[in-house]
Amino acid sequence: MKLPSPGRYVYGSFVLLLTAGICAEVVSITGRQDIISAALLVSAVILFLTAILLLVFHRPDSLDERFVSLLQVQGTINTCTVAADLGLSGLSCFLPQGLTESTGVMHLIPVTRYTGEPVAGSVFVSGEGFSGLLLPPVCIPLLKELKKTNQLTIPETRDEFSTLLHEIAVDVLEVAGKIQVTWSDTGVHIRMEGYRLYEGCRSVSRESPACCTMSPCVICSLFATCIAEGLNRPVQVDRCVPVKKGDSVEMIFTLLL
């Protein structure tokens, strides 16, 4: 079993303590009684107190990212297996409220291809020339919590979405170190670097690359759901894969209609 390792604040505290000791030692060795020595001594005291505060109030990381990333893997694979057995092979689409009988965004797994028609019914649905499986997005509990505790507001412009996705992934959830959002006339390309749930993505992709486009994970689902709700357009998941080298994930969404 892997033992918890010290967090970044613990290492930072030791650095501050070491620096404080060096400052105090310099004052002791030189033996000078001037303003420079006084400044060094005051600095040593401040550094020492800061290090103690960091050690006392820091919260160690208690969750292993490898284990957390695997929590949703089997559920995603199970959904894809059921969908495949039902003959569904189309790319997932996230439909805004106006296209379904639901009160929010819904996740559609079509038999072949969805082009933006209104959807009637629930779970097993059909329309003009298509049929599929209609489910609530897996990100709904997370999205509700973000709206409740972090006052998440869904924007209505693309530029604001670029900022929102960065805040969600990097600042609030802290699942990525960096995110790049590039818009085109027909869709958006998103790349998350330093993705902390990367191992889970690799596990699903190894099972079948189609799983990620048929039943996206919570984070990809969250992004697509927010875009569909804010822009009021269906969002098709064209690509959602872990990059082979490194710990990055790429998503390509197409805006229908």
Side-chain angles (χ1 to χ4, degrees):
M1 181 178 295
K2 180 182 177 181
L3 297 176
S5 58
R8 57 187 177 184
Y9 297 110
V10 174
Y11 289 121
S13 298
F14 284 120
V15 171
L16 292 176
L17 287 173
L18 179 62
T19 307
I22 293 174
C23 291
E25 186 67 19
V26 169
V27 173
S28 175
I29 292 175
T30 57
R32 298 172 56 182
Q33 297 181 352
D34 53 14
I35 190 171
I36 296 178
S37 297
L40 282 175
L41 189 59
V42 171
S43 298
V45 173
I46 294 175
L47 290 171
F48 176 79
L49 294 176
T50 303
I52 296 301
L53 288 175
L54 283 177
L55 283 173
V56 171
F57 292 109
H58 89 282
R59 294 190 303 172
D61 295 329
S62 58
L63 297 177
D64 192 311
E65 297 170 7
R66 296 173 304 165
F67 299 147
V68 173
S69 68
L70 298 176
L71 293 179
Q72 63 176 345
V73 169
Q74 193 59 50
T76 298
I77 294 174
N78 290 348
T79 300
C80 294
T81 301
V82 172
D85 288 345
L86 292 173
L88 309 179
S89 58
L91 298 174
S92 282
C93 295
F94 290 79
L95 312 184
Q97 179 178 346
L99 292 177
T100 69
E101 298 175 349
S102 177
T103 57
V105 175
M106 295 294 287
H107 173 206
L108 173 68
I109 307 176
V111 172
T112 54
R113 183 176 178 84
Y114 174 75
T115 57
E117 302 87 352
V119 175
S122 59
V123 187
F124 298 102
V125 298
S126 61
E128 298 181 4
F130 83 95
S131 59
L133 188 64
L134 188 67
L135 302 169
V138 295
C139 68
I140 290 299
L142 175 59
L143 180 58
K144 289 182 177 179
E145 185 65 20
L146 288 173
K147 289 182 176 180
K148 177 182 177 181
T149 60
N150 293 84
Q151 291 74 50
L152 173 66
T153 302
I154 305 298
E156 298 180 354
T157 66
R158 298 185 176 191
D159 291 339
E160 291 177 317
F161 262 112
S162 298
T163 302
L164 175 69
L165 298 182
H166 180 277
E167 291 179 351
I168 290 176
V170 179
D171 300 331
V172 178
L173 300 180
E174 297 183 352
V175 294
K178 182 180 179 181
I179 183 171
Q180 298 175 345
V181 183
T182 305
W183 292 90
S184 66
D185 293 338
T186 58
V188 58
H189 174 252
I190 302 171
R191 181 186 176 98
M192 290 191 295
E193 298 180 2
Y195 188 51
R196 301 178 68 181
L197 306 181
Y198 180 79
E199 289 301 323
C201 290
R202 288 189 60 186
S203 298
V204 174
S205 182
R206 280 196 298 265
E207 184 71 21
S208 173
C211 284
C212 293
T213 54
M214 186 179 293
S215 180
C217 69
V218 174
I219 301 301
C220 296
S221 172
L222 177 64
F223 289 171
T225 299
C226 289
I227 294 173
E229 179 178 336
L231 300 183
N232 195 31
R233 295 176 64 178
V235 176
Q236 177 178 281
V237 182
D238 292 331
R239 180 179 175 87
C240 184
V241 295
V243 179
K244 291 183 178 180
K245 294 183 179 180
D247 52 2
S248 301
V249 174
E250 288 187 343
M251 290 165 271
I252 298 178
F253 299 147
T254 295
L255 303 178
L256 304 178
L257 299 181

